[in-house]
Amino acid sequence: MDVGWMEISARIIAFISLMSIGYYRRGNRKYPRDNEKRREKKQISTRWESPLMKAVRVLMSLFYILAFVFVLYPEPFDIFKIEIPDYLRVVGILGTILGTVVIIWATRTLGDNFSPVLEIREGHQLVTKGPYRWVRHPMYVGNVIWILSFILLSAWWIFALYLIIFVVFIMIIRTSKEEQMLLETFGKVYEDYMKTTGCFFPKLKK
Ligand code: SAH
């Protein structure tokens, strides 16, 4: 395979992005990792997390690993490759950086309230600052920007499957469940919050 400067830059940016997203996702987990202990310490309600969502999360972890494969050992996977013009790969690199920033911004703003599963934890607080001032699901928006850009950055069509899975299962199915959960937990406060924010795009001034 011809490893030109475009391939090298794409792989370096992808590596930095994957490592930093991974770091911030873990960094926020201050609670005990052991499930038994978690249940003791923080009354968690995971009844919102269905087996289907668990399967989807496993699938998404596989794509995360596949992204590392693209960075570290792509040579055997030429079957995933598509030919795209260089300028689109540059767009992909810039978009991946943007997506990374949005994801990390949202993760850091949620702080202890962040969780990879749908759950309400002891002392859970409704976050309405940072990107949550304008949209209710900035992390999901960041992920869509990231995945879409990663298709271009890597020039691997397989990540288009990731995009489809993410949009269908996370943006459509999970988001509506998540809002039900937050509505049930925070009631009127969340209802009011919904009036001033958009789901994925900021609300235009009334
Ligand atoms: N959908 C959000 C957050 C994804 S992380 C986004 O795209 O930015 C999922 C966890 O975040 C869920 O367990 C939920 O309890 C929590 N969550 C979602 N919105 C929240 C908010 N505004 N304040 C506090 N926690 C929130």
Side-chain angles (χ1 to χ4, degrees):
M1 196 170 74
D2 171 33
V3 185
W5 65 270
M6 183 61 79
E7 197 65 30
I8 300 282
S9 344
R11 280 156 75 170
I12 290 173
I13 295 298
F15 185 70
I16 295 171
S17 163
L18 290 165
M19 291 300 281
S20 24
I21 290 173
Y23 174 80
Y24 281 104
R25 279 180 74 102
R26 296 194 138 262
N28 275 348
R29 288 198 202 159
K30 291 195 191 104
Y31 52 90
R33 308 210 65 190
D34 175 55
N35 266 336
E36 207 50 53
K37 279 209 198 114
R38 284 178 62 189
R39 242 173 242 124
E40 265 171 40
K41 293 231 163 161
K42 315 219 166 187
Q43 299 151 339
I44 54 168
S45 142
T46 45
R47 77 198 149 92
W48 294 94
E49 191 76 2
S50 65
L52 173 74
M53 275 309 145
K54 269 191 194 138
V56 171
R57 275 194 296 117
V58 171
L59 213 57
M60 296 202 312
S61 314
L62 292 181
F63 278 108
Y64 185 74
I65 294 167
L66 197 65
F68 268 108
V69 172
F70 162 75
V71 172
L72 302 171
Y73 191 49
E75 285 77 13
F77 300 94
D78 267 358
I79 71 165
F80 294 148
K81 257 203 141 348
I82 42 172
E83 282 303 321
I84 58 171
D86 271 1
Y87 77 89
L88 280 183
R89 295 199 71 182
V90 173
V91 170
I93 289 174
L94 297 177
T96 300
I97 296 171
L98 175 68
T100 307
V101 170
V102 174
I103 293 170
I104 291 175
W105 187 21
T107 313
R108 289 196 51 144
T109 310
L110 276 187
D112 263 355
N113 304 294
F114 166 75
S115 162
V117 304
L118 286 191
E119 61 176 7
I120 297 294
R121 300 223 300 279
E122 199 179 275
H124 200 113
Q125 282 179 336
L126 181 68
V127 173
T128 58
K129 11 169 225 153
Y132 292 89
R133 234 172 301 170
W134 306 290
V135 282
R136 300 194 289 279
H137 305 284
M139 202 184 295
Y140 297 162
V141 173
N143 271 287
V144 166
I145 297 173
W146 191 93
I147 302 170
L148 198 61
S149 306
F150 206 82
I151 300 170
L152 300 175
L153 174 150
S154 63
W156 275 20
W157 59 264
I158 187 97
F159 290 111
L161 292 184
Y162 186 13
L163 185 65
I164 295 169
I165 291 168
F166 194 88
V167 168
V168 173
F169 292 101
I170 304 294
M171 306 287 275
I172 299 175
I173 300 177
R174 192 197 223 225
T175 298
S176 83
K177 267 186 135 183
E178 185 168 327
E179 297 205 331
Q180 273 175 39
M181 175 183 86
L182 293 164
L183 263 175
E184 198 174 276
T185 310
F186 297 104
K188 176 94 171 66
V189 178
Y190 196 74
E191 236 173 78
D192 288 345
Y193 173 60
M194 287 176 96
K195 282 184 197 143
T196 57
T197 51
C199 190
F200 300 122
F201 301 100
K203 227 177 205 168
L204 295 174
K205 274 233 158 71
K206 277 177 283 181

